[in-house]
Amino acid sequence: WPRLPVPRGEATQVAKRTSQRLFFCDAEGWIVDEVRRAVEAAGLGRAAVVSPWMRFLRYKLANKTLKAHVDYQWLPGYANDEQQGYTPQGLETTHSFLLYLTDCPHGGETLLLDRLPPSRKPPPRRGEPPVPAPPEEPEPVVLAAVAPRRGRLLLFPHHCVHAGAPVAHLPKVLLRGDVQIVA
């Protein structure tokens, strides 16, 4: 993974990100087949279609967090109707998977949350009237904290709010991909 190409614009964006993204297509289907078998063995649906378009995430700085967010399916910037797992219409993915490639003995957990955190608007600019504070919202509740362990596969719906706890032990490397679970 260290020699995978970095996409255009990534060099400037990587300074803003918690992790470096290295894009990968499993053209041979080795990872696709193993993830599909694992998902189907878990009994989550009749079948699973795993997209071959994935990305390695390498966390580069200790004590940084990944903000709460939801995922969306990721498709490369070009169409390929012949590649299984990529279909522009009718085969949208439903779930994200994280395959942890390194152990982090302390920190770096993926936190599954019950909701996004309260919105925090920046203070008004000089000369603008103050914006009334919104009613106090409670912070999200952590439903599960999944520790990064080499070989662990985490699967969750795209719409599941999640965040990353501070990474105390580097490197933290994982493979992120998309799955459609057929009910």
Side-chain angles (χ1 to χ4, degrees), residues 95-108:
H95 289 69
S96 300
F97 76 80
L98 302 179
L99 176 61
Y100 298 98
L101 302 177
T102 56
D103 289 322
C104 291
H106 305 289

Side-chain angles (χ1 to χ4, degrees), residues 90-168:
L91 195 59
E92 291 78 20
T93 61
T94 57
H95 289 69
S96 300
F97 76 80
L98 302 179
L99 176 61
Y100 298 98
L101 302 177
T102 56
D103 289 322
C104 291
H106 305 289
E109 296 87 355
T110 299
L111 307 174
L112 303 179
L113 308 172
D114 68 338
R115 67 185 169 283
L116 285 167
S119 59
R120 293 182 177 86
K121 294 186 178 183
R125 294 181 185 164
R126 192 179 346 206
E128 292 182 0
V131 177
E136 287 296 317
E137 296 179 50
E139 289 296 318
V141 173
V142 175
L143 302 174
V146 181
R149 298 289 179 260
R150 183 179 178 165
R152 178 172 283 166
L153 179 67
L154 174 62
L155 179 77
F156 54 90
H158 284 321
H159 64 269
C160 177
V161 179
H162 58 287
V167 178

Side-chain angles (χ1 to χ4, degrees), residues 16-178:
K16 299 176 186 176
R17 291 196 177 106
T18 304
S19 64
Q20 180 181 21
R21 300 181 301 168
L22 303 166
F23 297 89
F24 170 72
C25 178
D26 182 19
E28 297 291 327
W30 297 341
I31 298 168
V32 165
D33 288 344
E34 292 303 318
V35 171
R36 180 187 50 76
R37 282 190 201 103
V39 171
E40 290 175 355
L44 299 174
R46 283 187 296 113
V49 178
V50 179
S51 173
W53 306 103
M54 305 172 199
R55 51 239 170 259
F56 288 92
L57 302 178
R58 183 176 63 91
Y59 288 74
K60 58 192 187 332
L61 298 171
N63 301 315
K64 296 291 183 181
T65 61
L66 180 62
K67 293 180 182 179
H69 65 283
V70 296
D71 287 343
Y72 299 94
Q73 72 179 359
W74 175 76
L75 301 173
Y78 56 90
N80 182 353
D81 292 333
E82 295 175 12
Q83 179 69 46
Q84 182 183 12
Y86 178 99
T87 310
Q89 297 174 349
L91 195 59
E92 291 78 20
T93 61
T94 57
H95 289 69
S96 300
F97 76 80
L98 302 179
L99 176 61
Y100 298 98
L101 302 177
T102 56
D103 289 322
C104 291
H106 305 289
E109 296 87 355
T110 299
L111 307 174
L112 303 179
L113 308 172
D114 68 338
R115 67 185 169 283
L116 285 167
S119 59
R120 293 182 177 86
K121 294 186 178 183
R125 294 181 185 164
R126 192 179 346 206
E128 292 182 0
V131 177
E136 287 296 317
E137 296 179 50
E139 289 296 318
V141 173
V142 175
L143 302 174
V146 181
R149 298 289 179 260
R150 183 179 178 165
R152 178 172 283 166
L153 179 67
L154 174 62
L155 179 77
F156 54 90
H158 284 321
H159 64 269
C160 177
V161 179
H162 58 287
V167 178
H169 182 267
L170 295 172
K172 177 183 176 184
V173 181
L174 56 95
L175 185 63
R176 155 79 171 87
D178 301 297

